[in-house]
């Protein structure tokens, strides 16, 4: 499906509640499945990626149903306990979800049955060696069918042992795969990261009574230690999932760059391991204020008020990258509308996402007439500020939801009468099925 985005004259006003956090939704499903009893989940993201996790868990005997509760729609999940999953009768289809595949790799490595994880063409191109290596060190029998470190992955469940693993990159998916396997392993599991990646897994495991500790080492690295358990406590009922800051990022950006705009985004998760975009935009001169700061289900939540601002360029690198890795494509769009140079470094992992996001963003910006230099680990963007004049163009989303949404935002700055056409925009349903209808509510 193609989507046309028309140009200037659209001002964003009003308030919006974005969908539930994708990362938290995945983890809520998997960990609720390992508890005993029922968990009611509110704010769950009904995007294609999270539905892939539902599908895989159902294949292993977990009852999951949608229903209307007293306060609106909720997901009802009946847990089977730590050792209650059953052998799937078919290949587990992870769709386009890297989170589903990598986290389930850790969980399934310790089960008493065999399984196969696969997915769509895109997921079969993404590297899985980063989880295969540490899980193999734990004693897992897991291998790539094609021998290239990519799916399909064959897993022969067996007893595991705890390890001390020094991860070469700060990756919440790698860390979470090890921690899930560590629930079953003999002895302590220890993960050391070069920086702090998103910590939703640690927070959830801690709330379920798992002995888990996190600390910052003297050299700035992060250490997480986990000891195995016999069973998991229950989540509080209902379990609330805050709005996804990665989804809010598109509306934050749109309001900042479209003159006359002001938005209030409600119930946005502002976990410190995820709020790097707020730090960057404020450093660029963005007018973003946090209101009604509170804690819901162990996660920081805020209402974010954002107003149009004259942005200037900045440098984004180092320890900040893991805190905004998913938001970098839309930050690049904001950089095109900012005054001066923006430099993105240390983000080579963008090339291993649903698409090569460095290449996709650079290609799209060039098509619009923006000066951009593609680099191996990022890009240099020369923004034109108020002088920005975008060419009418066609953008290939490459089947990547974050590329499609990022250019939809930038398309709001097209000249009157011009439009930007996004090819393959239906991929947005992976994380934000109501993206375009939500835009219409506030334009």
């Amino acid at each position: 499906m193609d989507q046309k985005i028309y140009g200037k004259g659209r001002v964003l006003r009003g308030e919006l509640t974005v969908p539930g956090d994708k990362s938290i939704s995945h983890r809520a499903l998997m960990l609720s499945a390992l508890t005993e009893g029922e968990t009611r989940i509110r704010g769950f993201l009904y995007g294609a990626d999270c539905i892939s996790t539902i599908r895989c868990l159902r294949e292993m005997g977990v009852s999951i149903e949608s229903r209307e509760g007293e306060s609106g729609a909720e997901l009802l999940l009946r847990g089977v306990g730590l050792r209650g999953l059953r052998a799937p009768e078919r290949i587990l289809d992870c769709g386009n979800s890297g989170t589903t595949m990598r986290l389930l790799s850790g969980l399934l490595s310790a089960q008493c049955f065999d399984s196969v994880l696969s997915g769509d063409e895109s997921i079969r191109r993404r590297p899985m060696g980063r989880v295969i290596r540490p899980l193999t060190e734990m004693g897992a029998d897991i291998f790539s069918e094609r021998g290239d470190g990519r799916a399909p992955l064959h897993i022969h469940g067996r007893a595991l042992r705890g390890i001390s693993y020094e991860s070469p990159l700060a990756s919440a998916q790698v860390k979470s795969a090890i921690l899930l396997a560590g629930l079953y392993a003999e002895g302590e599991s220890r993960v050391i990261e070069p920086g702090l990646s998103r910590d939703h897994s640690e927070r959830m495991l801690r709330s379920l009574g798992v002995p888990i500790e996190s600390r910052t080492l003297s050299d700035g690295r992060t250490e997480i230690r986990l000891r195995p358990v016999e069973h998991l406590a229950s989540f509080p009922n209902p379990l609330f999932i805050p709005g996804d800051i990665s989804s809010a990022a598109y509306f934050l950006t749109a309001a900042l760059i479209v003159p006359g705009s002001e938005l209030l985004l409600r119930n946005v998760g502002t976990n410190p391991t995820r709020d790097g975009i707020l730090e960057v935009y404020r450093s660029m001169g963005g007018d973003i204020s946090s209101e009604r700061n509170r804690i819901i289900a162990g996660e920081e939540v805020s209402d974010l008020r954002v107003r149009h601002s004259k942005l200037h360029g900045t440098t984004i690198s180092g320890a900040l990258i893991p805190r905004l890795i998913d938001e970098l494509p839309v930050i690049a769009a904001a950089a095109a509308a900012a005054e001066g140079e923006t430099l993105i470094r240390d983000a080579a992992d963008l090339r291993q996402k649903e698409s090569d996001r460095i290449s996709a963003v650079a290609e799209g910006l060039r098509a619009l007439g923006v000066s951009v230099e593609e680099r191996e680990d990022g890009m240099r963007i020369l923004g034109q500020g108020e002088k920005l004049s975008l060419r009418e163009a066609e953008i290939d989303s490459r089947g990547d939801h974050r590329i499609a949404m990022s250019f939809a935002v930038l398309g709001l700055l097209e000249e009157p009468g011009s439009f930007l056409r996004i090819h393959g925009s239906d991929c947005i349903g992976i994380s934000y099925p109501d993206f375009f209808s939500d835009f219409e509510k506030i334009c």
Side-chain angles (χ1 to χ4, degrees):
M1 183 180 75
D2 292 352
Q3 181 75 36
K4 289 183 179 180
I5 308 296
Y6 287 89
K8 291 178 181 177
R10 303 179 74 178
V11 176
L12 287 76
R13 290 275 181 177
E15 61 180 65
L16 191 66
T17 300
V18 298
D21 188 283
K22 185 155 76 85
S23 294
I24 298 176
S25 292
H26 281 298
R27 289 158 173 81
L29 288 170
M30 293 186 196
L31 289 174
S32 295
L34 302 181
T35 64
E36 298 172 6
E38 293 184 350
T39 301
R40 289 181 292 125
I41 304 173
R42 291 183 185 162
F44 178 79
L45 173 64
Y46 287 94
D49 274 8
C50 293
I51 290 172
S52 291
T53 295
I54 289 177
R55 182 171 57 244
C56 291
L57 291 173
R58 282 175 171 161
E59 287 288 339
M60 293 184 285
V62 181
S63 172
I64 306 172
E65 60 183 84
S66 301
R67 70 176 194 179
E68 284 296 321
E70 295 178 359
S71 302
E74 61 184 29
L75 204 64
L76 179 64
L77 190 150
R78 296 179 177 87
V80 297
L82 265 179
R83 292 164 179 81
L85 295 175
R86 71 183 186 211
E89 295 181 355
R90 55 182 63 86
I91 292 173
L92 295 173
D93 180 6
C94 300
N96 188 246
S97 177
T99 302
T100 304
M101 181 166 289
R102 293 191 178 110
L103 269 60
L104 282 183
S105 294
L107 179 58
L108 292 171
S109 291
Q111 303 305 312
C112 59
F113 52 77
D114 297 344
S115 54
V116 179
L117 292 169
S118 192
D120 66 13
E121 182 181 356
S122 171
I123 202 69
R124 293 195 301 273
R125 292 196 302 265
R126 295 174 67 183
M128 295 298 152
R130 60 183 62 177
V131 292
I132 294 174
R133 283 187 292 273
L135 292 174
T136 300
E137 285 187 31
M138 297 179 78
D141 185 356
I142 175 173
F143 66 94
S144 162
E145 180 177 296
R146 296 179 296 178
D148 59 358
R150 291 171 169 78
L153 301 182
H154 292 251
I155 302 173
H156 302 290
R158 59 195 299 182
L160 303 179
R161 58 182 177 275
I163 60 168
S164 179
Y165 183 70
E166 296 194 18
S167 179
L169 72 165
S171 166
Q173 292 181 359
V174 173
K175 173 178 62 178
S176 297
I178 297 170
L179 295 178
L180 286 171
L183 290 174
Y184 300 85
E186 180 181 354
E188 182 180 75
S189 296
R190 177 172 175 257
V191 182
I192 298 175
E193 296 187 294
L196 180 61
S197 62
R198 57 186 65 176
D199 66 351
H200 304 305
S201 294
E202 295 97 302
R203 292 179 183 228
M204 282 192 169
L205 288 166
R206 195 172 290 117
S207 73
L208 290 170
V210 177
I212 184 168
E213 302 171 3
S214 303
R215 68 183 182 118
T216 302
L217 302 177
S218 59
D219 59 4
R221 294 182 300 166
T222 301
E223 177 191 65
I224 304 97
R225 293 175 178 267
L226 174 143
R227 293 185 296 279
V229 294
E230 290 300 319
H231 67 277
L232 296 180
S234 297
F235 279 119
N237 263 322
L239 175 61
F240 291 95
I241 296 177
D244 197 327
I245 194 168
S246 295
S247 296
Y250 305 101
F251 297 100
L252 285 171
T253 305
L256 285 173
I257 67 176
V258 175
S261 296
E262 180 176 344
L263 286 179
L264 180 65
L265 302 174
R266 295 198 176 277
N267 301 324
V268 179
T270 50
N271 180 312
T273 65
R274 296 281 302 282
D275 68 351
I277 188 172
L278 302 181
E279 182 177 328
V280 165
Y281 279 166
R282 286 166 178 156
S283 75
M284 295 174 73
D287 184 353
I288 303 174
S289 58
S290 300
E291 304 175 2
R292 286 205 315 135
N293 301 318
R294 54 213 185 273
I295 302 292
I296 299 179
E299 293 280 348
E300 292 87 347
V301 179
S302 301
D303 294 349
L304 300 177
R305 188 176 298 277
V306 54
R307 301 175 179 87
H308 170 248
S309 306
K310 292 184 179 180
L311 302 179
H312 55 78
T314 190
T315 297
I316 307 166
S317 61
L320 191 55
I321 295 298
R323 294 172 52 205
L324 45 63
I325 188 72
D326 287 338
E327 290 75 67
L328 282 172
V330 77
I331 291 173
E339 185 72 40
E341 178 184 280
T342 293
L343 184 60
I344 299 172
R345 295 193 304 237
D346 305 321
D349 199 43
L350 283 177
R351 295 194 182 275
Q352 306 293 338
K353 296 293 185 177
E354 285 87 332
S355 69
D356 179 339
R357 287 179 176 164
I358 293 175
S359 171
V361 169
E363 177 185 89
L365 290 179
R366 281 193 292 267
L368 288 166
V370 177
S371 177
V372 56
E373 175 190 342
E374 180 179 339
R375 298 180 176 180
E376 187 58 34
D377 67 342
M379 64 192 81
R380 175 182 174 270
I381 301 165
L382 187 59
Q384 301 175 44
E386 294 180 339
K387 298 178 182 179
L388 179 66
S389 178
L390 298 179
R391 294 197 293 253
E392 189 167 292
E394 300 193 5
I395 302 296
D396 181 3
S397 72
R398 304 193 187 188
D400 189 326
H401 54 129
R402 302 211 185 277
I403 298 300
M405 288 186 281
S406 297
F407 280 99
V409 168
L410 195 52
L412 295 173
L413 297 183
E414 285 277 0
E415 293 299 323
S418 298
F419 64 87
L420 181 153
R421 186 192 300 272
I422 301 173
H423 296 294
S425 61
D426 50 335
C427 63
I428 290 172
I430 288 170
S431 65
Y432 202 153
D434 296 326
F435 176 75
F436 288 113
S437 60
D438 277 356
F439 247 121
E440 293 302 321
K441 292 177 185 177
I442 55 175
C443 283

